[in-house]
Amino acid sequence: MGLASDTPDRHSAFLHPFLSAGLGSLIACFREYGWPDAAYWPRTASLFLVSALRTLFHRSNARAVSTAPIPPPVFIVGHWRSGTTHLHQLLSRDPQFGYVTFLQAASPHDFRSPVISRFFAALLPPRRPMDAVRIAPDSPMEEEMALACLSSLSFYHGFFFPRAARRIYRESVHFDGVAPADVERWWHQYRNFLENVQATRPGKRLLLKNPANSARVTRLRHEFPGAKFIHLHRHPEKVFASSLFLHRKLREAWALQTANASELPATVMANYTDLMRALEAESNRAPKNEWIDVALADLENEPLTTLRTIYRQLELPGFNNAAPFFAGSIAEAAAFRKNDLWLDAGERVSLRAALAPIYERWGYA
């Protein structure tokens, strides 16, 4: 598979997800995962400067933020690059749903500030770097970006500190080796953020998309009784190739240190295997009216039929009212051109050996 350049973009720090982290959190992450290499000093200096100013802004504008109880959300899960963004954008057209916006995910401390919203809107690029999907301040976004600034445990940190990517994945997604008190702190931060978002979506049911949640289903069902889960799956070769591309593009945009590029495929493969094993174990405990498995190919080939099946099995109301709102997203998705990515024969053989249960479970040839 072709490689993306690892040359740091000097200007990308201005849109780095770490811009909203408090200065203390920023320093703590550097102490934990390593200080930047010389090539990334300009990017790091920009982050420290903006983080220091933002920290002062947070403190000077600190006030009680209204929150709201969270009705049982709908969670979209599945490995990264399985089509979860497509389904998230599609379902977000249903007026009954609220969702985390790009602005809220990127500025979790102060997204209600008019100053921050104008600043963010002025600097946000029109498309995502890894797949050219259109983005705007009010676009649906996964909440993991917010957790990168709110918590010391976030999958996103692996893009910033690639030398520790595998460790960061295990700790932030599976809480492997993390002290119980720190895990509970993470859940408190997560719920508090969602309550803040819910307060901006009164009367709406939150539609949440975060692949990292694929390993947290049991706890999510405990935290949010009655929650619904949609697991989207895709051919493993497509997922793996696209995941490699994702990591390379986001390391290029966001990394604060260099890493051995030859180790990336093994890291992505290990993470993929771990996540799908966890998802399989977690999904077996969910009742049929709270969990559905959906193939991306079915969603792409028969979108309305597949969406109707999702609403019916999960006992979600309002499909007939929502169907007219889906037309725009379906047409846009049909016209969207995906990245042309491929694996060589050796990569395909290794992938099939590592993920044999997934090939068998979903019938991928």
Side-chain angles (χ1 to χ4, degrees), residues 4 28 88 105 116 118 245 248 256 299 327 351:
H88 194 206
I116 294 300
R118 287 194 295 268
F245 187 77
R248 287 165 179 151
L256 302 172
L299 182 64
L351 187 67

PDB file of all heavy atoms in Angstrom, residues 4 28 88 105 116 118 245 248 256 299 327 351:
ATOM      1  N   ALA A   4       1.646   7.798   2.792  1.00  0.00           N
ATOM      2  CA  ALA A   4       1.499   9.251   2.811  1.00  0.00           C
ATOM      3  C   ALA A   4       2.762   9.861   3.388  1.00  0.00           C
ATOM      4  O   ALA A   4       3.474   9.245   4.165  1.00  0.00           O
ATOM      5  CB  ALA A   4       0.285   9.644   3.652  1.00  0.00           C
ATOM      6  N   ALA A  28       1.096  17.480  31.033  1.00  0.00           N
ATOM      7  CA  ALA A  28       0.998  16.126  31.577  1.00  0.00           C
ATOM      8  C   ALA A  28       1.139  15.079  30.477  1.00  0.00           C
ATOM      9  O   ALA A  28       1.796  14.044  30.670  1.00  0.00           O
ATOM     10  CB  ALA A  28      -0.329  15.951  32.304  1.00  0.00           C
ATOM     11  N   HIS A  88     -23.577   8.067  10.499  1.00  0.00           N
ATOM     12  CA  HIS A  88     -23.812   9.153  11.445  1.00  0.00           C
ATOM     13  C   HIS A  88     -24.407  10.370  10.732  1.00  0.00           C
ATOM     14  O   HIS A  88     -25.402  10.961  11.182  1.00  0.00           O
ATOM     15  CB  HIS A  88     -22.482   9.520  12.113  1.00  0.00           C
ATOM     16  CG  HIS A  88     -22.616  10.381  13.322  1.00  0.00           C
ATOM     17  ND1 HIS A  88     -21.609  11.224  13.741  1.00  0.00           N
ATOM     18  CD2 HIS A  88     -23.624  10.545  14.217  1.00  0.00           C
ATOM     19  CE1 HIS A  88     -21.990  11.850  14.835  1.00  0.00           C
ATOM     20  NE2 HIS A  88     -23.206  11.459  15.144  1.00  0.00           N
ATOM     21  N   ALA A 105     -17.032  19.201  19.737  1.00  0.00           N
ATOM     22  CA  ALA A 105     -15.972  18.213  19.932  1.00  0.00           C
ATOM     23  C   ALA A 105     -14.597  18.862  19.970  1.00  0.00           C
ATOM     24  O   ALA A 105     -13.721  18.421  20.722  1.00  0.00           O
ATOM     25  CB  ALA A 105     -16.019  17.168  18.814  1.00  0.00           C
ATOM     26  N   ILE A 116     -15.221  31.931  20.541  1.00  0.00           N
ATOM     27  CA  ILE A 116     -14.641  30.661  20.115  1.00  0.00           C
ATOM     28  C   ILE A 116     -15.315  30.160  18.845  1.00  0.00           C
ATOM     29  O   ILE A 116     -14.647  29.669  17.925  1.00  0.00           O
ATOM     30  CB  ILE A 116     -14.755  29.613  21.236  1.00  0.00           C
ATOM     31  CG1 ILE A 116     -13.895  30.025  22.420  1.00  0.00           C
ATOM     32  CG2 ILE A 116     -14.357  28.238  20.724  1.00  0.00           C
ATOM     33  CD1 ILE A 116     -12.418  30.165  22.106  1.00  0.00           C
ATOM     34  N   ARG A 118     -16.717  31.842  16.428  1.00  0.00           N
ATOM     35  CA  ARG A 118     -16.270  32.608  15.260  1.00  0.00           C
ATOM     36  C   ARG A 118     -14.838  32.270  14.887  1.00  0.00           C
ATOM     37  O   ARG A 118     -14.494  32.135  13.703  1.00  0.00           O
ATOM     38  CB  ARG A 118     -16.412  34.111  15.544  1.00  0.00           C
ATOM     39  CG  ARG A 118     -17.842  34.611  15.539  1.00  0.00           C
ATOM     40  CD  ARG A 118     -17.896  36.125  15.478  1.00  0.00           C
ATOM     41  NE  ARG A 118     -17.340  36.743  16.672  1.00  0.00           N
ATOM     42  CZ  ARG A 118     -18.047  37.075  17.744  1.00  0.00           C
ATOM     43  NH1 ARG A 118     -19.355  36.845  17.761  1.00  0.00           N
ATOM     44  NH2 ARG A 118     -17.484  37.643  18.781  1.00  0.00           N
ATOM     45  N   PHE A 245      -4.262   4.387   6.013  1.00  0.00           N
ATOM     46  CA  PHE A 245      -4.257   5.712   5.394  1.00  0.00           C
ATOM     47  C   PHE A 245      -4.650   6.782   6.408  1.00  0.00           C
ATOM     48  O   PHE A 245      -4.051   7.861   6.475  1.00  0.00           O
ATOM     49  CB  PHE A 245      -5.212   5.719   4.205  1.00  0.00           C
ATOM     50  CG  PHE A 245      -5.172   6.978   3.392  1.00  0.00           C
ATOM     51  CD1 PHE A 245      -4.140   7.229   2.505  1.00  0.00           C
ATOM     52  CD2 PHE A 245      -6.181   7.931   3.503  1.00  0.00           C
ATOM     53  CE1 PHE A 245      -4.097   8.386   1.760  1.00  0.00           C
ATOM     54  CE2 PHE A 245      -6.150   9.091   2.760  1.00  0.00           C
ATOM     55  CZ  PHE A 245      -5.103   9.323   1.875  1.00  0.00           C
ATOM     56  N   ARG A 248      -1.750   7.481   8.788  1.00  0.00           N
ATOM     57  CA  ARG A 248      -0.663   8.213   8.135  1.00  0.00           C
ATOM     58  C   ARG A 248      -1.032   9.676   7.906  1.00  0.00           C
ATOM     59  O   ARG A 248      -0.208  10.573   8.129  1.00  0.00           O
ATOM     60  CB  ARG A 248      -0.295   7.517   6.821  1.00  0.00           C
ATOM     61  CG  ARG A 248       0.458   6.211   7.055  1.00  0.00           C
ATOM     62  CD  ARG A 248       0.510   5.343   5.827  1.00  0.00           C
ATOM     63  NE  ARG A 248       1.274   4.117   6.093  1.00  0.00           N
ATOM     64  CZ  ARG A 248       1.086   2.970   5.492  1.00  0.00           C
ATOM     65  NH1 ARG A 248       0.143   2.855   4.574  1.00  0.00           N
ATOM     66  NH2 ARG A 248       1.827   1.915   5.796  1.00  0.00           N
ATOM     67  N   LEU A 256       3.409  15.018  17.068  1.00  0.00           N
ATOM     68  CA  LEU A 256       4.325  15.891  17.791  1.00  0.00           C
ATOM     69  C   LEU A 256       5.674  15.205  18.006  1.00  0.00           C
ATOM     70  O   LEU A 256       6.530  15.733  18.706  1.00  0.00           O
ATOM     71  CB  LEU A 256       3.718  16.287  19.139  1.00  0.00           C
ATOM     72  CG  LEU A 256       2.361  16.996  19.038  1.00  0.00           C
ATOM     73  CD1 LEU A 256       1.744  17.160  20.421  1.00  0.00           C
ATOM     74  CD2 LEU A 256       2.496  18.330  18.340  1.00  0.00           C
ATOM     75  N   LEU A 299     -26.008  -0.795   3.340  1.00  0.00           N
ATOM     76  CA  LEU A 299     -26.381   0.607   3.521  1.00  0.00           C
ATOM     77  C   LEU A 299     -26.142   1.394   2.244  1.00  0.00           C
ATOM     78  O   LEU A 299     -26.924   2.293   1.900  1.00  0.00           O
ATOM     79  CB  LEU A 299     -25.580   1.215   4.677  1.00  0.00           C
ATOM     80  CG  LEU A 299     -25.895   2.667   5.036  1.00  0.00           C
ATOM     81  CD1 LEU A 299     -27.326   2.810   5.537  1.00  0.00           C
ATOM     82  CD2 LEU A 299     -24.907   3.182   6.088  1.00  0.00           C
ATOM     83  N   ALA A 327     -32.913  11.882   1.869  1.00  0.00           N
ATOM     84  CA  ALA A 327     -32.658  11.901   0.425  1.00  0.00           C
ATOM     85  C   ALA A 327     -31.385  12.658   0.062  1.00  0.00           C
ATOM     86  O   ALA A 327     -30.582  12.205  -0.769  1.00  0.00           O
ATOM     87  CB  ALA A 327     -33.863  12.504  -0.307  1.00  0.00           C
ATOM     88  N   LEU A 351      -3.792 -10.374   6.977  1.00  0.00           N
ATOM     89  CA  LEU A 351      -5.049  -9.858   7.514  1.00  0.00           C
ATOM     90  C   LEU A 351      -6.060 -10.991   7.692  1.00  0.00           C
ATOM     91  O   LEU A 351      -6.729 -11.085   8.728  1.00  0.00           O
ATOM     92  CB  LEU A 351      -5.604  -8.785   6.586  1.00  0.00           C
ATOM     93  CG  LEU A 351      -6.825  -8.019   7.078  1.00  0.00           C
ATOM     94  CD1 LEU A 351      -6.458  -7.160   8.277  1.00  0.00           C
ATOM     95  CD2 LEU A 351      -7.399  -7.142   5.969  1.00  0.00           C
TER      96      LEU A 351
END
